[in-house]
Amino acid sequence: KWLKDGLHRRTVTAGGVDKNGKPKFKTINHPYLTDAGTITSGTRLEGFLEDVGSYEDPYYQNKRESMEEENERMRKADEKAGRETLIPTQDVLDQVELAGRELYHGMLLKKARIEDETTSVTEGEVQVNNSDSFKPVTSSTVPDASFIQRLGGIF
């Protein structure tokens, strides 16, 4: 797929000079996304990242389901062996995940505020609303701060 998109060719020096005294160049196939730290094709890189990113949600959903099954298996094994299980219930794990998400979103928002506050304007400059500055995307499905405090020691 990536080599058939026609965006993998690049021009390099061929060494030597032509009859007019100009350096010789040749076009080569370059199947990589970068070359010595330089992006060879932004279009190809964007497409590659989109393709890789399309697997992210299914991967984490599958990982979550397999972890739930593994935790349940270990809880049953502990119960069968007469041990007290150290693995919390799935409800507690879900609450901890939501609480962690709340802390993470809080950190993102704090970082955005700090960036906004540190933007300074010197005399004679006009402050422009920079729409390219860091603006986190957050979900509204996170618990409140009091819930996080009640979970306390789980983190």
Side-chain angles (χ1 to χ4, degrees), residues 50-66:
E50 285 175 355
D51 286 351
V52 170
S54 70
Y55 292 99
E56 187 175 28
D57 288 338
Y59 169 81
Y60 283 111
Q61 181 62 33
N62 184 39
K63 183 176 179 179
R64 178 183 177 88
E65 290 171 4
S66 63

Side-chain angles (χ1 to χ4, degrees), residues 53-117:
S54 70
Y55 292 99
E56 187 175 28
D57 288 338
Y59 169 81
Y60 283 111
Q61 181 62 33
N62 184 39
K63 183 176 179 179
R64 178 183 177 88
E65 290 171 4
S66 63
M67 283 301 299
E68 288 175 7
E69 292 168 3
E70 181 68 15
N71 287 343
E72 186 59 33
R73 185 193 64 73
M74 288 190 288
R75 282 187 209 104
K76 286 180 181 178
D78 286 342
E79 182 181 336
K80 185 177 180 180
R83 297 183 297 248
E84 181 180 342
T85 186
L86 299 175
I87 301 171
T89 64
Q90 191 58 44
D91 290 338
V92 171
L93 293 174
D94 290 342
Q95 291 173 349
V96 169
E97 182 181 346
L98 286 174
R101 202 174 291 160
E102 168 81 8
L103 291 172
Y104 179 70
H105 288 187
M107 181 271 307
L108 290 176
L109 293 172
K110 181 179 178 184
K111 178 167 176 39
R113 277 194 302 275
I114 289 171
E115 282 189 5
D116 288 344
E117 291 171 2

Side-chain angles (χ1 to χ4, degrees), residues 5 9 13 18-19 26-27 31 38-39 53 62 69 75 83 94 109 111 113 120 127 129-130:
D5 65 5
R9 299 176 63 80
T13 57
D18 64 11
K19 61 183 175 182
K26 65 179 178 178
T27 301
T38 303
I39 296 171
N62 184 39
E69 292 168 3
R75 282 187 209 104
R83 297 183 297 248
D94 290 342
L109 293 172
K111 178 167 176 39
R113 277 194 302 275
S120 61
Q127 185 163 358
N129 183 10
N130 186 0

